Structures are given as C-alpha cells and as structure tokens.
Amino acid sequence: MKTIYFITSNSGKVLEVKNKLTNLDINVVQKNLGYPEIQSNKLEEVAMFGAEYVQKRFKLPFILEDAGLFIDSLGGFPGVFSAYAFHTIGCDGILKLMKNAKGNDRKAVFRSIFAYAEPVKKPVLFIGECFGTISDKMRGSNGFGYDPIFIPDRFNKTFAEMRTSEKNQISHRGKSLEKLIDFFKNI
Ligand code: IMP
C-alpha cells in the first residue's frame, strides 16, 4: 500500500479523501504543516506556491487542497481570502455586501484545487468548480463555511440543506477529487 500525506489542519477533509483513496490501495495520512498563502487572486497560483514551498521541506509524496468562493458582482471576493473573510465577516457579512444584488449579480462559483507533489517533479494541479448563486438568507445547518448561502445551479436548496453525500456528488471538491483519483488510477 502506498502512503500519501495530506498537508492540512482539517481532519474532515482527510476523512473524505481517505475513504475514496483507500479503494486504490493508497493510505492517506494527515500532516499538519502550515504553508504561506501568497497574495494572488488566482487559486492555482496559491496552490502551486504552497505545494512548492512544502516540497522543499517535506521529502515524501503529498497532496494539499485550497478552496474558495468567488462572487461575480464582488469582483471575485472573497476568493483567495475566503478563509479570512469567513472568520471576520462570515456569511452574514457577505449577505450584507450583497443586499442590493439581484439576478445575475448573485452568481458565484466555488473552486477547489488539489495539488499532488513528490520530490523533484513539478506539482500537478486538479481543479474542480461548482457554479451557483448566493441565497438571500442563510438556510440549512449541514456542512461548513459558506454552505448556508450557496445554492448550486439546478437546485433550489443551499449546500447546507443537502446531505454530505449529495453535496459531494456536485461540489467543487467532489470534482477536483475525482480528477485526482483518475490521475492515481493511471500511475
Ligand atoms: P480552504 O482553502 O479549504 O481553507 O477554504 C477556504 C475557505 O473557503 C474556508 O474557510 C471555508 O470558509 C470556505 N470553503 C471552502 N470549501 C467550502 C465548502 O465546500 N463549503 C463552504 N465553504 C467552503
């Protein structure tokens, strides 16, 4: 069985990935190493910088994941600052910023990027997106983060009103993880 380290402080994410990769004979082990998040509005650049930073210090195969919510009418905010915005203004603050936004101005996309790296080789990125709209008020109690205010396209409920299994089938992270799994199946 191959071991791959997951560089994260979020054990919920580890569990989600572990379940899927065990089927491929890959053992996922959590490694709580911090890495700097550079000032860039592109999640790809943030993830690549983080992966190359860890790669210089950690000499075993690993994955890491960065995610964010990008709201069209706020110029992509909170985007790469999603964690910071969540801990400061939260869902309530985002709803206040959006109080006059109607129709297309409520469009948003969740993005998730997994990076896989092993010593010497350039890290590989896997991107997943989920398009939707920002709700008028918080709804639902499942999930985490911005789940209560995000309604994925073709649904009338927020991520927080879905069961985790339902969310994972359509979510940004579900999609980037599927691409990572396909990659592992082929190596
Ligand atoms: P991170 O890159 O996983 O730390 O995510 C950054 C921030 O985006 C988190 O603090 C969450 O608030 C938010 N976020 C990421 N993924 C999700 C999700 O699936 N649902 C809701 N919020 C999310």
Side-chain angles (χ1 to χ4, degrees), residues 13 65-67 82-83 86 110 144-147 167 172-173:
K13 279 189 190 178
E65 194 245 6
D66 277 306
S82 291
F86 185 74
F110 256 124
F144 67 100
Y146 301 105
D147 281 349
K167 177 189 165 188
H172 47 306
R173 190 168 302 102

Side-chain angles (χ1 to χ4, degrees), residues 13 35 37 43 46-47 50 64-68 111-114:
K13 279 189 190 178
Y35 55 91
E37 297 209 342
L43 209 53
V46 178
L64 55 80
E65 194 245 6
D66 277 306
R111 291 204 173 93
S112 156
I113 306 212
F114 270 99

